[in-house]
Each structure stands twice: as C-alpha cells, then as structure tokens.
C-alpha cells in the first residue's frame, strides 16, 4: 500500500498547483482518475463564483454514527527562485528515501495517504462515515475548498477533522485567532513647501504605528499557553515629494486568544486612533476565533493515543499561526492540524518528505480512523460556536 501511496503522490507533485498561479484541474484530475478506478464516491466542490476548489470523498459505513474527516491540501506554495533548487520543483522523484518536489511535504503525500485509507474502508461496515477533503485555494489564504465543504448542503457535517500537515513530533490542537483591519488616517492636504507647518496623514499614521506598537497586551492566561500579539503589517499613503497627503492607511494584524478576543482587539485599535487628534476610520477586514482542544477531546485523543501506541513521542501543541482549524472552530467543529512524516524545505527550497516515516504515520492514521468509526463521543472545542 505504501508504494501505491508514493506513486500517487509522485503524480500529484508532477502537476504544478501553486496557489493562485496554476490551474488546479490537472492535479485534481489525477485524483479523480485514481478515485474512479477504485470506485470511491467523490465529487467536485466549487465556490460561489463557480471556481473549482477541491474534491470531496465520502465513504459511508452504513450504521448510525458520527462522520469524521481527513483534510489535505493539494495546492502548494510558489516555487520561489527555481535556480536555487538542486532539483526541479515538480520532479516527484525519490532519492535516498526522500520524496522530492513542491508539495511533497505540504501536503500531497498526505492527500495520497488519506485517499488510500478511504479506499481501504470502501465496502466495509462501520458507524458513521469518513470524508476526505482534497482542497485547493489553501495556500492563497482563501481556504475555498474548506469553505465549500462546510457550505455544501449535501455533505454530512463532520464531528471532527484531522488536517494532514507534516511533522511527526507534534499534533496541533489549538491556535491563536486573528483580527485584521485597516485604519485610514485623515488630515488636511497641503504643499510641502508651505510656510505653515501642516502635519499630514503620513506623519499622523506614523504616530498611530508607535501608539499601536507601544500598547500593552495581556500575557498568556489560563490553559491557553500563548499571549495575544499585535503586528503592524502595512502603511500606504502619499505621492511624490511636494504634496502633503490627506489620507494614509495602516494595516494591523492582531493574534487573539480566549481572553483577548476580536472585540478586545478592536477596542485597543480604536483607543489608539482616538489619541491622534484627527479623524481615523477603522475598517475590520477579517476575524477568526482562537481554538484549543483538550488532549482528551476527539479527534485529538484518538490521534495522540494511536501515535503513542506506535512508539512515538508526540506532544500536543497550540500554534501561534492560524490554520483551517480556526475556520472549523468558528463552525463548532473540533480539528487537529499536523502529524505526518519528517520534512525539509517546507515552502522553501528543495522541499522533500521522508518516506521512511510513511509506514508508521499511515498505521497511526489507520488506527485513529478505525477507533473513531467504531464509535465514540464527539466533543466541542474550547471557545467554539455553533453546532456539531
């Protein structure tokens, strides 16, 4: 079975699928052919604009019970400087036990592995069912495949999701959320050569940046191990040298926690803007909640237990960056992110994945899925909204 998984992963790597750059149809076509040959029920997912955003595989066990989902993206990061690579980014070859090429680690090998697990289940009898989401539009930050899955009225809502990011040492069971906004600072326009000193919008925006970066944020609190974090990510305004601009935009990204949420982030930004003495408009752009599963909550408990039984030492981790788990948490769906093979060059040069780890990782996911489909309570992640 591992040879079949590697062969499928190689085919996927050889179809470039850089997020926002390449056409996704070829890489999804490879998966459709593989799934059709094995008579696995699957269908395409589309966003509201009609763009192809992924494939959904659904295997029912025929008995009442919760459904669980495996998720692996098949779009990738860009190649970067191809001249810096020591092999072609779309090579897909295996050298010294390493699968090489963009997407080998994140996450085409996981996609192939999850397809193989679904194929093993087809025709079996078990509780609930297994969905495999093979999504694109992940590396763009749009998460179109996951959004289409959640919005699809024909899809069975999962009791939990396991996301196949690589790395054998950690299972991500939580992450900070975020609140993002632009602050438009207004001022009086003028000429830089005027006798009268007129602080323009850029100068006032610079003061706003200082106020934001000097703001006091709380530390980590309770069981959530990370503190909130504020980062000014952009400043745009002005044109030429002789004009004093009348507006300037500041972009801010605040990573949130259960005790410092989106409302607190917005209040902090508005308070800083109020100190400028000039009009400022705060426009929120996006917000995801933080999430965290306890180690005894599913599907984290089953995955961690299976890894331990396989002789691995795996720790539960709450991540600083956000991931699809935050999107799922907003829908009340618990998720883990990560557990896979060792890797190098993730999103960088000479990406590759260690195939020596594949049999063990496959065995862990097999046992995890088997245990969940045998029946077990579905639980709600800390801070989640909505229903399961």
């Amino acid at each position: 079975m591992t040879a079949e998984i590697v062969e499928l992963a190689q085919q996927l790597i050889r179809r470039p699928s850089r997020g926002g750059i390449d056409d996704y149809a070829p890489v999804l076509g490879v998966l459709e052919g593989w799934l059709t040959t094995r008579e696995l029920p699957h269908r395409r997912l589309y966003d509201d604009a009609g763009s192809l955003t992924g494939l959904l595989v659904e295997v029912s066990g025929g008995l009442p019970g919760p459904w669980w989902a495996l998720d692996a993206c098949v779009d990738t990061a860009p190649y970067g400087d191809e001249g810096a690579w020591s092999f072609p980014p779309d090579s897909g070859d295996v050298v010294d036990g390493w699968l090489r090429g963009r997407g080998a680690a994140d996450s085409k090998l996981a996609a192939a592995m999850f397809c193989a697990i679904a194929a093993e289940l087809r025709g079996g009898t078990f509780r609930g069912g297994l969905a495999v989401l093979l999504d694109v539009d992940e590396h763009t930050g749009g998460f179109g495949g996951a959004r289409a899955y959640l919005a699809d009225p024909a899809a069975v809502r999962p009791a939990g999701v396991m996301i196949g990011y690589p790395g054998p040492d950690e299972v991500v069971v939580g992450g900070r959320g975020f609140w993002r906004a632009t602050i438009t600072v207004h001022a009086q326009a003028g000429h830089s050569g005027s006798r009268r000193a007129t602080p323009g919008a850029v100068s006032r925006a610079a003061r706003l940046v200082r106020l934001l970066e000097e703001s006091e944020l709380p530390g980590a609190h309770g069981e959530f191990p990370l503190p909130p974090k504020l980062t000014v990510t952009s400043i745009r305004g002005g044109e030429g040298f002789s004009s004093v601009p009348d507006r300037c935009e500041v972009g801010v990204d605040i990573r949130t926690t259960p005790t410092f949420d989106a409302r607190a982030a917005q209040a902090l930004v508005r308070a800083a803007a109020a100190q400028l003495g000039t009009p400022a408009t705060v426009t929120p752009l996006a917000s995801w909640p933080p999430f965290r599963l306890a180690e005894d909550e599913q599907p984290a408990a089953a995955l961690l237990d299976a890894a331990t039984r396989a002789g691995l030492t795996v720790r539960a981790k709450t991540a600083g960056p956000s991931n699809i788990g935050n999107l799922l948490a907003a829908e009340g769906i618990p998720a883990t992110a990560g557990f896979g093979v060792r890797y190098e060059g993730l999103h960088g040069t000479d990406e590759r994945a260690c195939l020596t780890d594949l049999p063990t990782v496959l065995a862990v996911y097999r046992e995890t899925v088997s245990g969940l489909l045998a029946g077990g309570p579905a639980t709600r992640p800390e801070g989640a909204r909505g229903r399961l």
Side-chain angles (χ1 to χ4, degrees):
M1 178 58 74
T2 57
E4 189 175 7
I5 292 170
V6 173
E7 182 181 356
L8 175 57
Q10 288 179 294
Q11 293 182 51
L12 297 176
I13 293 168
R14 290 167 183 160
R15 272 68 171 186
S17 54
R18 294 163 291 179
I21 298 174
D22 296 311
D23 180 7
Y24 301 134
V27 71
L28 292 176
V30 169
L31 290 165
E32 286 178 310
W34 194 94
L35 295 167
T36 299
T37 298
R38 288 152 184 82
E39 299 181 345
L40 276 166
H42 64 279
R43 54 195 166 86
R44 292 186 170 193
L45 297 173
Y46 298 89
D47 63 16
D48 292 339
S51 298
L52 180 61
T53 59
L55 297 176
L56 181 63
V57 184
E58 293 174 305
V59 182
S60 173
L63 300 176
W67 279 61
W68 303 89
L70 300 170
D71 172 27
C73 62
V74 291
D75 68 326
T76 72
Y79 293 157
D81 180 5
E82 295 186 46
W85 287 64
S86 63
F87 50 84
D90 61 352
S91 65
D93 58 358
V94 176
V95 176
D96 296 329
W98 290 80
L99 175 63
R100 308 196 306 180
R102 177 62 84 225
D106 185 14
S107 295
K108 292 181 175 181
L109 182 60
M113 179 176 63
F114 290 167
C115 286
I117 291 173
E120 290 179 340
L121 289 172
R122 189 187 68 82
T125 300
F126 46 87
R127 296 186 180 276
L130 178 72
V132 177
L133 174 62
L134 305 163
D135 58 322
V136 292
D137 194 37
E138 198 263 11
H139 282 83
T140 63
F143 302 109
R147 293 181 189 277
Y149 172 41
L150 295 173
D152 189 342
V156 181
R157 197 170 184 84
V161 177
M162 289 170 282
I163 304 165
Y165 296 140
D169 301 320
E170 298 171 341
V171 172
V172 174
V173 298
R176 286 188 293 208
F178 65 76
W179 180 84
R180 293 169 179 163
T182 58
I183 307 101
T184 304
V185 179
H186 303 274
Q188 184 176 349
H191 194 290
S192 61
S194 172
R195 289 174 177 265
R196 186 179 63 178
T198 306
V202 170
S203 297
R204 295 184 184 276
R207 180 166 182 256
L208 175 62
V209 171
R210 290 195 297 272
L211 289 169
L212 290 171
E213 293 185 339
E214 292 170 0
S215 298
E216 288 193 20
L217 296 172
H221 180 76
E223 295 183 355
F224 198 88
L226 299 175
K229 181 183 179 184
L230 182 153
T231 306
V232 175
T233 57
S234 66
I235 183 166
R236 296 182 293 271
E239 184 176 354
F241 291 94
S242 61
S243 298
V244 177
D246 58 1
R247 59 180 288 143
C248 184
E249 286 189 352
V250 176
V252 62
D253 177 295
I254 300 180
R255 299 298 163 137
T256 59
T257 68
T259 56
F260 191 86
D261 59 10
R263 182 175 297 182
Q266 181 166 253
L268 182 149
V269 168
R270 291 190 182 279
Q275 298 182 53
L276 294 178
T278 192
T281 304
V282 178
T283 305
L285 299 177
S287 178
W288 278 2
F291 78 102
R292 185 173 185 272
L293 278 67
E295 293 182 29
D296 60 352
E297 291 180 279
Q298 300 292 21
L303 186 55
L304 290 165
D305 182 62
T308 300
R309 289 176 182 273
L312 302 176
T313 301
V314 180
R315 70 183 184 95
K317 177 184 177 181
T318 300
S322 303
N323 56 61
I324 293 180
N326 296 84
L327 174 63
L328 294 166
E331 296 288 330
I333 300 172
T336 61
F339 176 71
V341 302
R342 285 174 290 166
Y343 62 91
E344 293 180 357
L346 185 75
H347 289 193
T349 303
D350 286 353
E351 180 176 345
R352 59 182 190 161
C354 181
L355 296 179
T356 305
D357 298 342
L358 180 58
T360 300
V361 171
L362 174 62
V364 168
Y365 273 110
R366 275 176 172 157
E367 182 175 339
T368 300
V369 170
S370 176
L372 291 171
L373 294 176
T379 54
R380 185 182 304 273
E382 175 184 322
R385 303 194 307 271
R387 61 180 178 84
L388 291 177

